[in-house]
Amino acid sequence: MTRTPKLPRTPRANGSFQGLPDDDTLLEVLRTARELDVNDLARQFGLKGDERRALRQKLKLLSESGKLNKSGRKTFGAVGTLPETGVAEVVERDVDGDLWVKWGKADDPKLKHKPPLARLAPLKRTVAQTPPTVGDRLYVRFEHVNDEWIAHLVKVLDQGASKLVGVVRISKKGKAGREIRLESVDRKAKDSYTLVAGAIDALEDGDVVIAAPQGGAHRFGPKPAKLVEVIGKEDSPRIASIMAIHAHGLKVGFASSTEDEAKNAVAPDLKGRKDLRDLPLITIDPSDAKDHDDAVYAHADEDEANPGGHVVWVAIADVAHYVKSNSSLDRDARDKGNSTYFPDRVEPMLPHVLSSGLCSLQEGENRATLAVRMVFNADGKKISHSFVRGLMRSAAKLSYEQAQAAIDGTPDDTTGPILETLLKPLWAAHACLLRGRNDRQPLQITSVERKVQLDADGNVVAITPRVSLEAHKLIEEMMIQANVSAAETLEKQKTPLIYRVHEQPSLEKVGNLADFLSTIGLPWNKGEPPRTERFNQLLNKQKDGPHFDIINEVVLRTQMQAHYSAENFGHFGLNLDRYAHFTSPIRRYADLIVHRALIRALKLGDDGLTDYEVKTMADTAEHITATERRSMQAEREAIERYVASFLEDKVGATFEGRIVGVTRFGMFVKLTETGADGIIPASSLRDDYYIHDDTAHALVGERTGKRWPLGRLIEVELLEAMPMTGGLVFKAISEASPPDPNAPRVRLGVRSRVESSRGGKPAPRNGPGGGSRKPGEKPRQKGVTEKSKAKKGKRR
């Protein structure tokens, strides 16, 4: 409740006080109190009877003349003021990245003058607090400081889920004028909306907008929504990425203070650093990479005590030198958590002047680095490592394809001169590391990634598989070993860190895998603890068999999802006891925290991990796990929309695909050529009534026993492509697989894991009233006969 201040009395001519204040006194009181009820004012001035009526009349006249705002039936406030506390909505973000909020009553038609906007104060250093964004509703405390209104966040009331992205559809409604419908771009959305508030008069059909659903009960028809922002047009080639960015609340750009810090950054000299400029480190990255945060160098170990061993250097950009704890750069980087990559753009974690400039290990340029020197024996086992903070100069910038071509016998002008001295020693070291990797037995699941290629206008011209080269594996293994070294060093120094953890599969998931394998005649002991060697043995034995693809898919689904944690749970997939991300601080905040931890632990400078960061490590790990998953989902949705756009003019064409998911409502198919994902609805399978057997991962015909199993290659026809949602709908051209003679007959309502493909409820049991029926035939009611029908008719 707002505290009512003591109010001054207006003095009479003889020095005593009269009850009713004059206009100036009343306005001054309301400016101080911001907002007061008529009864509070009357009580403070000691007004009764006629004086109270006179006060109400005075307030009414001041309101009508525009000197006061009436915000309620009996509540008044001075023009240009805000209450002490209240509900506010975040309405805009300015060029400096600051958020501005509007008091919740600002749109009240009773107000003659709109209250001012307030700037949201920087959040307190509570890292678990999720930063609000445009469209969120907050409970705030207003304060007037230096002629500016500041809103201090007390509590976030509604965030994230209250906003939606959709396409405007305008229709004429006769005398009622035009109706503005909103088609959600989320294909899982069940509700429809009508835009009824905001600046909707200028909207055009096909506008892509952000809207906020309005409250209230609406049982029938579309729900009301308020326009928040117009973000583009549906026919814009690059709208797919823009929609994904806004749908998931990704922060775009940087505060001006962050940009200023980046522009004013100064490269360090050799003071306190080891000179590594004579070390011929090279970068090997994708051909279109704009930033280079890791460089490598390797040679045979000259120590006679380590015959056949190798020395591997991994140098990483020293981002911690430029991004100081709790600086504007740091706050923006933490909010983003990581860079997000779309086919047409990158939303970077750091400003371009750093990510592609001072923090990028560019060829021939002096760059600050945090490097690790690792020594491996002839069996590929790491026997020692040490970290240094230094100054390096990259000897060459290569692409994966360029480096691989040189090793394969076709060097170019860049790789030719360094083939014998740098590239071949790197490949020899990798061969050594592979022996250690094979002994370690990380999980070897097969997966194919695809790249969406755009032309200059942003239109999709091709979707191609990403080729996995030995050069990719070389860099990957060296980065893994550097990450392990970072975790080992910090544990040894008893310094807290953020681990990258991947927990072993749950017993339930392993049990489901065993159940599935039994359906194709493969043994798996349910009591056996999950081990990567056991999974690899299964995959290797089935590599050339008919069931390999489905086994690979089911093993993948058995795994847990990796995440960040302040506690160490190991990394099951890599089969490592301890693991931390260290090698990509330009694009991942987790790596920056690990860099600071190493600087603190090894006393490499005064810009290491702070006590506050140590105290809030668990909150930071939770936050960056959430930002990583948000980015992954946004990236996936953007790619799905680009792919649907690419296939839109190919409706009616046939493709080869593989069944990668089976549910009670249909099958998900991934096309072999493009990797596009779509659905075959169960309702389109007309030759039988199909049910979902989740143990066998198949749809099974109730009458015929025919099967649609996970992993099967089939031919499909594209029926529909929806670029706005990224949805694809297919029709099966191939015939279902014949019944499995070794599989038990699946009967509706008998097996607990079997559900009807036409809904969540099991169909009637086979037997009286529920036997086999033809496709489309309705089941008879149990126990209902012609005789009973006649009796029932007589009773009526």
Side-chain angles (χ1 to χ4, degrees), residues 643-655 671 716-723 727-731 733:
V643 170
S645 175
F646 179 66
L647 294 175
E648 190 177 16
D649 61 353
K650 298 173 178 61
V651 170
T654 58
F655 303 89
L671 300 187
V716 297
E717 177 187 343
L718 178 61
L719 296 182
E720 190 175 2
M722 298 161 279
L728 299 173
V729 180
F730 298 120
K731 173 186 176 182
I733 302 298

Side-chain angles (χ1 to χ4, degrees), residues 17 50 62 88 192 246 349 390 565 663 670 780:
F17 288 90
D50 291 341
L62 288 172
S192 59
H246 287 283
M349 188 181 80
S565 172
T663 70
K670 183 183 289 291
R780 290 177 293 148

Side-chain angles (χ1 to χ4, degrees), residues 161-194:
S162 61
K163 293 181 289 295
L164 59 101
V165 177
V167 183
V168 169
R169 299 295 181 216
I170 298 177
S171 60
K172 298 294 183 181
K173 296 282 287 185
K175 294 181 179 179
R178 66 178 193 168
E179 181 184 48
I180 306 177
R181 290 289 186 102
L182 195 64
E183 282 185 6
S184 175
V185 300
D186 180 1
R187 61 176 179 264
K188 296 179 182 179
K190 297 179 181 179
D191 295 321
S192 59
Y193 295 89
T194 302

